[in-house]
Amino acid sequence: MTISSSNPFLWGAATAAHQVEGNNTNSDYWVMEQIPGGLFKEPSGDACDHYHRYREDIKLLADLGLNSYRFSIEWARIEPEEGVFSAEEIAHYRDMLLVCHEYGLTPIVTLHHFSSPRWLISAGGWLNERTPARFATYARKVVQELGDLLSYVCTINEANIISVALLTIDTRDRGLGEAETNAPVGIQDQALSKPSAYMQNWLAQVAPQFNVRPDQLYPFILTIAPERRQVILGAHKQAREAIKAINPALQVGITLALPDLQSVEGSEARLREVEQAVYLNYLEALHQDDFVGVQTYSRSIVGPNGVLPVPEGAERTQMGNEFYPEALEGALRRVARHLSLPIMVTENGVATDDDSRRIEYIRRAVAGMQRCLADGLPIIGYQHWSALDNFEWMLGFDKHFGLISVNRQTQERTLKESAYFLGNLAKAALQEEKAHL
Ligand code: BGC
């Protein structure tokens, strides 16, 4: 671990390329979104046009008092065909990184945030044993070209997302009634091994776009076979080794989707199974990393047969989750019990149109994180999800996680009160940190 204690805490906000850039035409998501009648409420289109407006967006974050920005580099742009690298797109991300530095923001860059190049899916996607080497080739290229401007690299976003999604599906399968889940319906259908006629029809239209059969279609987010974990963790490991071979000083980690886990009395054994599936199966593979990214939105309460529905009467977010900002503290403490690495909160946030609830969420989540810091947990940053109201994957544009709203007609940005709230928290904390140096 080479992070020195003199590095300031990284206060920032996060985005992902496909959710904000717009016109990510060589990616698998773009292809899937165009097929009507399936998983997607609407296509991403111009998204937030961040591809052209990044300077303005980065400046907004810096003006708030934040000192970092987490965003992703899009593999499908850098390597639109296997082995073909785009000098123009590399120059694009180089400029984004330069703008971050110009405004004093430390960039935290993710190499894979759910979307993959279309060609990768044609070549077997996230079940193919050659995917780790292919991902490492891309990672190597990024670091060769841009490494001088990078400091933190997250290889893969939410490597365990399907393990989390399958938990709630399990519950449904065990006859506990309709689980409270945000898992895309396609995953549920596949997990239950009985795709509905609706999904079958959609998959039958999607697969030929990639020149594969429906049963050979393995985008990151639809791949549920157990072997996926080996492919994903293999990709992480090979990429980390490729990056470190070029630039050993770069801090490399992965990010995980980590709901806080709690259990009802008598269900502790079941809780341990869930912990194994969601946390330990992944944390166990990360001891060689420089840091781990924690992404927490809410809690999952485990009952005797699995994850229970959101408690009756609980406040819910636009995603249907329980509004439960204390989840962050629980997840951070659980990670720290099992892995002694620096921890970065790479996502934490809430989908709501009531910005006063976002403020409340940030206030309580950050307070929980600060209790962890006071207890000596090695937390190095907090990246709020999200900088902008953006494209929430299958659910389209009307789930609002942003600190900054985006007018869908004009692309005009408006800072919300919560943006100032987080900025002021960051400024105060950084000042205090400086005073103690
Ligand atoms: C993902 C983001 C997503 C967010 C809110 C995380 O699972 O990394 O891309 O927008 O949660 O659902």
Side-chain angles (χ1 to χ4, degrees), residues 181-216:
T181 175
N182 297 317
V185 65
I187 297 180
Q188 297 183 22
D189 278 344
Q190 286 191 36
L192 297 170
S193 340
K194 46 182 178 211
S196 60
Y198 173 83
M199 272 308 295
Q200 253 166 358
N201 178 34
W202 185 77
L203 291 169
Q205 291 177 69
V206 171
Q209 307 290 322
F210 297 100
N211 291 321
V212 297
R213 295 194 315 260
D215 62 330
Q216 298 170 321

Side-chain angles (χ1 to χ4, degrees), residues 11-13 64-66 359 362 366 382-385 403 417-428:
W11 291 94
L64 288 170
L66 301 176
I359 291 175
I362 295 173
V366 168
Y382 175 88
Q383 304 297 313
H384 189 76
W385 186 271
L403 298 168
E417 278 305 313
S418 53
Y420 295 107
F421 182 79
L422 179 66
N424 289 338
L425 265 184
K427 280 190 280 196

Side-chain angles (χ1 to χ4, degrees), residues 169-374:
I169 290 155
D170 249 354
T171 308
R172 193 172 82 169
D173 228 9
R174 284 161 202 251
L176 285 181
E178 198 68 19
E180 299 300 329
T181 175
N182 297 317
V185 65
I187 297 180
Q188 297 183 22
D189 278 344
Q190 286 191 36
L192 297 170
S193 340
K194 46 182 178 211
S196 60
Y198 173 83
M199 272 308 295
Q200 253 166 358
N201 178 34
W202 185 77
L203 291 169
Q205 291 177 69
V206 171
Q209 307 290 322
F210 297 100
N211 291 321
V212 297
R213 295 194 315 260
D215 62 330
Q216 298 170 321
L217 188 61
Y218 297 122
F220 188 82
I221 207 76
L222 294 183
T223 304
I224 59 162
E227 299 79 21
R228 76 184 179 284
R229 178 153 52 94
Q230 215 182 322
V231 175
I232 292 171
L233 290 174
H236 166 66
K237 182 168 183 278
Q238 289 198 31
R240 185 191 65 220
E241 285 166 2
I243 295 168
K244 293 298 235 186
I246 301 168
N247 188 341
L250 284 188
Q251 300 296 296
V252 184
I254 201 167
T255 85
L256 299 174
L258 297 174
D260 183 19
L261 299 180
Q262 301 178 5
S263 65
V264 297
E265 220 182 302
S267 296
E268 293 75 14
R270 185 73 178 118
L271 174 90
R272 274 192 294 279
E273 280 172 41
V274 171
E275 179 184 58
Q276 185 68 43
V278 171
Y279 280 68
L280 305 187
N281 281 346
Y282 296 86
L283 294 181
E284 280 159 2
L286 306 181
H287 293 284
Q288 305 299 312
D289 289 8
D290 297 305
F291 71 96
V292 60
V294 167
Q295 312 200 158
T296 303
Y297 289 87
S298 188
R299 65 173 165 179
S300 296
I301 304 174
V302 178
N305 297 312
V307 173
L308 297 170
V310 172
E312 188 107 2
E315 177 181 350
R316 287 165 185 250
T317 76
Q318 284 180 335
M319 300 291 283
N321 293 332
E322 183 182 358
F323 179 96
Y324 189 74
E326 286 69 28
L328 181 61
E329 178 174 4
L332 289 168
R333 291 192 189 277
R334 190 175 296 278
V335 168
R337 277 203 292 280
H338 295 286
L339 187 68
S340 47
L341 281 186
I343 303 172
M344 169 114 61
V345 178
T346 38
E347 285 183 25
N348 173 248
V350 59
T352 178
D353 275 336
D354 179 351
D355 197 48
S356 68
R357 299 311 289 153
R358 190 179 337 277
I359 291 175
E360 177 67 1
Y361 187 97
I362 295 173
R363 194 179 64 69
R364 282 162 50 187
V366 168
M369 177 181 77
Q370 283 171 333
R371 284 191 289 275
C372 295
L373 280 163

Side-chain angles (χ1 to χ4, degrees), residues 105-118:
L105 298 187
T106 297
I108 299 155
V109 164
T110 307
L111 297 178
H112 185 275
H113 194 124
F114 294 170
S115 47
S116 308
R118 177 185 185 138

